[in-house]
């Protein structure tokens, strides 16, 4: 027991003041004396929190791996136990009803059946925990996947722009915030600081990935007639936009390695975000590639 109440998934985040005040009011209505103190400055940095999340995922991976090994061992033991009993029974030997051996034969049959069921059940448990182990072990790679990180940065920057509008007294995301309230002003300042910190952290992750060879594509890398690769298919670039490429509809890439700009061969267009692009070729390079492949 922690000896306290807490709000799940709230650590290292701005305190949900309205929710806490509502809880305090309900406790007061029940006869409790409540003093509500909120300090949004008493928290870990985002980098510290992220490091702990990775460490906890590694601990889970180790624990789940042990669970999987134990279940696999129990499955193997049950399988051997069942086969050991079965090996003592002559091949094809039926249960002799009325014979003095009937009771033992039925007991052996039940034991074999139970052992088989246990073996299958433990095998399934082993597979379950092995899957959990793989997911936990891949947490860091999942979180720091460059393409996914770029999308996360875009979302965070959109949230930051909304906060900055609210700070200026403007509307964002269909709502406004009362900047005449000192508490609201403080909350927005905390949100701004948290978002800025997260953006800086994830931009550093992308910068490190670039040092390892990851390419951050942009409008300046493409022109009409180039080809962009996405999920193993090359699409002709119809237009390079600030945030996306206009290409023949991605459904045209089903079962094909190259989708050209010839309108006789495609219907409709798609917007391809730069964070989903994994390669580029000029029209000349694509022509040479296809000529060589003939």
């Amino acid at each position: 027991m922690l000896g306290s109440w807490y709000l799940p998934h709230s650590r290292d985040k701005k305190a949900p003041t309205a929710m806490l005040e509502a809880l305090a009011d309900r406790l007061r209505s029940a006869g409790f004396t409540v003093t509500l103190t909120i300090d949004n400055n008493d928290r870990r940095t985002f980098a510290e929190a992220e490091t702990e999340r990775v460490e906890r995922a590694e601990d889970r991976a180790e624990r789940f791996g042990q669970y999987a090994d134990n279940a696999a061992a129990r499955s193997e033991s049950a399988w051997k136990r069942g086969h050991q009993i079965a090996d003592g029974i002559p091949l094809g030997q039926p249960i002799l009803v009325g014979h003095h051996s009937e009771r033992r034969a039925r007991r052996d049959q039940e034991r074999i059946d139970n052992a088989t069921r246990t073996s299958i059940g433990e095998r399934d448990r082993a597979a379950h925990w092995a899957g959990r182990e793989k997911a936990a072990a891949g947490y860091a790679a999942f979180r720091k996947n460059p393409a996914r990180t770029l999308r996360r940065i875009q979302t965070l920057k959109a949230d930051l722009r909304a906060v900055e509008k609210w700070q200026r007294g403007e509307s964002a995301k269909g709502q406004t915030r009362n900047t005449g309230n000192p508490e609201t002003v403080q909350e927005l300042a905390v949100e701004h600081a948290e978002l800025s910190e997260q953006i800086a952290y994830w931009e550093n992750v992308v910068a490190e990935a670039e040092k390892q060879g990851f390419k951050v594509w942009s409008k300046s890398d493409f022109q009409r007639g180039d080809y962009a690769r996405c999920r193993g298919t090359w699409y002709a670039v119809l237009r390079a936009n600030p945030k996306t490429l206009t290409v023949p509809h991605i459904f045209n890439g089903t079962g094909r390695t190259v989708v050209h700009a010839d309108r006789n061969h495609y219907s409709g267009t798609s917007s391809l975000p730069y964070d989903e692009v994994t390669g580029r070729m000029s029209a000349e390079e694509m022509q040479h590639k296809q000529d060589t492949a003939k």
Side-chain angles (χ1 to χ4, degrees):
M1 295 293 291
L2 296 175
S4 61
W5 291 357
Y6 69 95
L7 185 65
H9 310 298
S10 62
R11 190 180 182 190
D12 303 312
K13 298 179 180 178
K14 180 179 68 67
T17 305
M19 186 179 297
L20 293 174
E21 289 176 342
L23 174 59
D25 289 341
R26 293 182 65 180
L27 289 171
R28 293 186 185 107
S29 299
F32 293 93
T33 299
V34 179
T35 300
L36 183 61
T37 302
I38 297 175
D39 184 0
N40 281 312
N41 295 316
D42 184 17
R43 65 179 183 86
R44 300 176 298 176
T45 65
F46 182 79
E48 290 171 339
E50 187 67 14
T51 297
E52 184 191 1
R53 283 189 281 269
V54 171
E55 290 174 348
R56 289 175 62 185
E58 292 173 348
D59 290 341
R60 289 197 302 273
E62 183 177 354
R63 185 168 67 255
F64 295 158
Q66 187 61 55
Y67 293 165
D69 291 343
N70 292 342
R74 291 193 296 270
S75 176
E76 179 71 11
S77 176
W79 182 84
K80 289 181 178 178
R81 187 166 62 251
H83 274 262
Q84 186 176 16
I85 298 171
D87 289 343
I89 301 174
L91 185 63
Q93 174 67 55
I95 295 177
L96 303 176
V97 179
H99 191 267
H100 66 83
S101 64
E102 180 184 0
R103 180 178 298 178
R104 177 178 178 181
R106 293 194 181 281
R107 186 170 63 250
D108 287 345
Q109 185 181 54
E110 183 178 1
R111 291 167 64 193
I112 292 171
D113 183 65
N114 288 338
T116 301
R117 291 177 184 274
T118 298
S119 179
I120 294 173
E122 293 297 339
R123 182 196 62 194
D124 291 343
R125 288 188 184 89
H128 166 78
W129 288 117
R132 294 286 300 275
E133 176 191 15
K134 182 178 180 180
Y139 175 85
F142 173 83
R143 288 285 283 178
K144 293 189 176 182
N145 175 276
R148 183 172 285 106
T149 301
L150 288 172
R151 291 192 290 273
R152 185 181 298 118
I153 290 172
Q154 290 177 3
T155 300
L156 291 170
K157 286 185 174 180
D159 292 341
L160 182 61
R161 288 193 295 273
V163 169
E164 291 174 341
K165 285 186 176 181
W166 289 326
Q167 288 178 315
R168 295 193 298 267
E170 302 172 7
S171 174
K173 296 186 175 181
Q175 61 176 306
T176 57
R177 304 278 284 274
N178 182 13
T179 53
N181 184 337
E183 291 184 358
T184 300
V185 172
Q186 178 60 26
E187 287 179 359
L188 289 172
V190 172
E191 289 179 29
H192 191 285
E194 289 181 346
L195 289 167
S196 297
E197 182 182 12
Q198 291 181 46
I199 291 170
Y201 176 88
W202 292 118
E203 285 181 337
N204 184 63
V205 168
V206 173
E208 291 298 319
E210 287 185 288
K211 292 179 182 178
Q212 301 299 320
F214 176 75
K215 169 64 178 175
V216 179
W217 300 99
S218 67
K219 179 181 179 179
S220 62
D221 294 308
F222 293 91
Q223 61 181 358
R224 180 180 177 84
D226 286 345
Y227 287 79
R229 184 175 60 196
C230 176
R231 302 186 184 92
T233 298
W234 290 93
Y235 295 89
V237 174
L238 305 178
R239 185 170 60 252
N241 311 300
K243 294 184 178 181
T244 64
L245 293 172
T246 300
V247 299
H249 202 287
I250 58 173
F251 290 156
N252 292 282
T254 303
R256 302 172 66 183
T257 57
V258 181
V259 179
H260 297 290
D262 185 349
R263 290 189 177 276
N264 294 322
H265 293 87
Y266 75 85
S267 175
T269 61
S270 288
S271 294
L272 179 61
Y274 289 111
D275 55 48
E276 293 185 14
V277 175
T278 57
R280 172 197 171 277
M281 277 193 193
S282 65
E284 294 75 16
E285 288 172 328
M286 177 58 71
Q287 186 63 53
H288 177 73
K289 177 181 173 66
Q290 294 193 309
D291 291 343
T292 302
K294 292 179 180 180

